[in-house]
Amino acid sequence: MGLGNLSIDPLAELRKRQSAKWRTFPDDVLPLPVAEMDFPLATPIAKVLHEAIDRSDTGYAAPTRDLADAVSGYALRTWGWEIDTDHVRTVADVGMGMVEILRRVVSPGDHVVISPPVYEPFSWWIREVGAHTVEVPLADGPLGWRLDLDALERAFATNATAYVLCNPHNPVGLVHRREDLVALAELADTYGVYVLSDEIHAPLVLPGADFVPFLSVSDAARRWGFSFLSASKGWNLAGLKAATVVTADRAPKRYVDRLSPHSLYRTGHLGVIATVAAFNEGDQWLADVLDMLDHNSRLLDDLLRKLLPAAHYRQPQAGFLAWIDFGALGWGDDPTEHILNTARVALNAGHRYGPLGVGFARLNFGCSPETLTEAITRIATTA
Ligand SMILES: Cc1ncc(COP(=O)(O)O)c(C=O)c1O
């Protein structure tokens, strides 16, 4: 199965994987929720991991500059963004990095703003540090999703210490426009609000959109911003545990410098090895994956139009996640229950991403076109 240069294992092989995507549901269910991709590991990454295993090289991550060099090389080559390698800090994953920075910039009881529908753990991370979540939903207009800058200004002016930005924005696949990020940075500067920019999906921007790193837009963004970059979504390395926090000004760097020196030892050594290979040698594989995702996003659009025209879907600008409105089908506030019980396809419930997600579901199309076709065909037969 596959397309172009990517050949994807058949389902029987994929079901041998022991990761969350493949171990959460029984074998008659097509699992399309957990954000893992079904594609084979990029060859340069598989090679360095095999070599590490052959050396029994499974100790702690070492304090080398390899990861900082690889991230900054990738950012410059891909986005023209210059990162100072002294401003790159290794952490185990984006979630851990976010929580540790939030712990340092907010106090318990403070208000932290998010823009739903958004990745559900944002509110868990805010709760974990004892802060309150303030929801400023995305605006949804004729030209698509945007940050609601007026509403953000009201929230920042009232009472906010930090804003967690999803850039690109999971689950709607929005790649924020430069002018919106510039305006957001101005608001942050005016009201003294830290911006924690989760840029984990940045390598997965699809043809037609351009990713703009938050820290690249202005001095204001650099004064107030933190960027969280990782290869874990782009190259499917989530289980190996390595990510980075990047800053571009002395003030936010001071908070990063206060992270425990142990954060490096909590990072996966194999994760660092794989991430260095991904950022240094993973461009070709990523290009093949982006072709596949672009193809699958169009295929999904065609399938829904033909087989399930009452469902609404706008193709994302980034990532492998589709945000589908099943509201007109009469399957209730959480259509995933009906879809799991009758079609044996598992999706994420939209309401978990905020009130705008009622009646929606999130579908992971980081799979073969055959699996995607099978999923939508199964769902359509239950309508
Ligand atoms: C926006 C976003 N941030 C963070 C994560 C999780 O990242 P990590 O495993 O590095 O904590 C995900 C996973 O899907 C995600 O979509």
Side-chain angles (χ1 to χ4, degrees), residues 35 93-96 119 122 125 166 170 198 200-201 230 232-233 238 241 243 321 362:
D93 55 29
V94 168
M96 178 233 161
Y119 183 57
F122 279 14
W125 299 338
C166 202
N170 170 7
D198 179 338
I200 196 169
H201 289 273
S230 160
S232 73
K233 291 297 115 178
K241 295 292 162 199
L321 302 167
R362 194 188 79 164

Side-chain angles (χ1 to χ4, degrees), residues 94-95 98 118-119 121-122 125 163-170 176 195-202 211 214 226-230 233 244:
V94 168
M98 278 275 181
V118 74
Y119 183 57
F122 279 14
W125 299 338
Y163 174 61
V164 184
L165 172 69
C166 202
N167 181 34
H169 194 108
N170 170 7
H176 296 289
V195 177
L196 284 71
S197 185
D198 179 338
E199 303 189 337
I200 196 169
H201 289 273
F211 170 68
F214 180 68
F226 301 84
S227 163
F228 297 80
L229 282 171
S230 160
K233 291 297 115 178
T244 59

